[in-house]
Amino acid sequence: MKLAQAMALIVPPIVDLKRRALARADGEHTMYPTLVALREDRVLAVVSTPRMAVTLSTAHTLAVGLAPQLVCVAAQVTLPDGGEGIAYTTMTRDHTAGFALQPYAVHEVSDGVHEAMGAQIEFSTPERGQPEDRALMDELARAMSHDPMDPTRVSRKGDVDTGGTNPALLPQEEGRLAIDAGTCASVQRSVVGVGGRTLYLAASAAHATRLLAHGMPEQVLLH
């Protein structure tokens, strides 16, 4: 997947996260560092936490469990000109790295009579660039070096191997559901303590129902 194709999928949810951050009532408007995982040319999962180190650590779990074709870390940054923007660092399964910057500007909105009514944000088009520090790229590359779990090797729950043979295995499609559900449940447990959140985007209502049956936390699931 080329960077332009990936960005077309990643930018809309990240822009929405930044708009939501700007509308927070507690006065903290910084967008949390966010990890996005793509699979089969769509956004599959999003993890957002207040701490970059925590967000980045989930890349390893997602790379193994979700078998993404690409992962991206999006974070709010200060630009060289003093403005603000969002930096997107991407890494594919074959270790093709990408980097883009998306400047934005925040304006206070007023009706000219009353006090400021709120803030409005305008986003520029993301532009390809070079990171000042490649540490983030290197960590994503390490995450994507892990072999993903094999959905054809998932045992049925409750089966016990007492005769030296392999336990009964789930069909590949069911194995994929079980791995996705277990991965997202694990990631959510790891981020909830710092105020983070994991989201998994089901392909349909039927897909969501099947994921729930395999243990996907309901609060993680979107469809």
Side-chain angles (χ1 to χ4, degrees):
M1 173 178 282
K2 295 184 177 180
L3 180 61
Q5 295 172 302
M7 293 297 290
L9 298 170
I10 294 167
V11 168
I14 294 299
V15 164
D16 183 62
L17 282 175
K18 177 56 189 173
R19 292 189 190 279
R20 290 174 181 269
L22 195 64
R24 286 177 57 177
D26 60 5
E28 176 53 68
H29 301 315
T30 302
M31 186 190 80
Y32 289 168
T34 300
L35 182 75
V36 181
L38 304 185
R39 192 176 75 201
E40 298 176 350
D41 296 337
R42 73 181 188 89
V43 174
L44 184 70
V46 177
V47 182
S48 189
T49 85
R51 302 177 188 173
M52 174 61 83
V54 177
T55 298
L56 191 56
S57 70
T58 68
H60 295 264
T61 305
L62 295 184
V64 172
L66 298 187
Q69 66 194 110
L70 179 145
V71 291
C72 171
V73 170
Q76 185 173 319
V77 296
T78 300
L79 303 176
D81 64 3
E84 294 183 340
I86 298 173
Y88 299 85
T89 305
T90 66
M91 185 64 62
T92 65
R93 181 61 66 177
D94 63 1
H95 289 181
T96 300
F99 182 81
L101 280 174
Q102 182 180 29
Y104 62 80
V106 178
H107 309 284
E108 291 297 327
V109 179
S110 173
D111 61 6
V113 177
H114 302 92
E115 294 183 357
M117 298 168 62
Q120 180 177 343
I121 187 167
E122 295 181 5
F123 292 92
S124 299
T125 302
E127 297 183 359
R128 187 187 297 268
Q130 291 293 329
E132 295 181 0
D133 183 353
R134 294 186 60 88
L136 191 55
M137 278 186 177
D138 292 342
E139 188 63 21
L140 291 181
R142 282 190 285 270
M144 293 295 269
S145 295
H146 299 303
D147 291 332
M149 295 179 69
D150 185 350
T152 69
R153 304 299 300 170
V154 180
S155 301
R156 295 180 185 275
K157 288 184 177 180
D159 283 334
V160 179
D161 180 10
T162 58
T165 60
N166 289 331
L169 300 175
L170 291 171
Q172 181 173 349
E173 185 177 2
E174 293 297 312
R176 179 74 270 160
L177 293 169
I179 294 173
D180 284 4
T183 298
C184 289
S186 175
V187 171
Q188 177 61 13
R189 287 194 297 270
S190 73
V191 303
V192 68
V194 297
R197 188 179 183 189
T198 305
L199 295 174
Y200 181 101
L201 286 72
S204 65
H207 184 210
T209 298
R210 296 174 69 192
L211 285 162
L212 289 170
H214 282 281
M216 179 73 78
E218 189 170 0
Q219 70 269 27
V220 165
L221 201 54
L222 292 178
H223 60 86

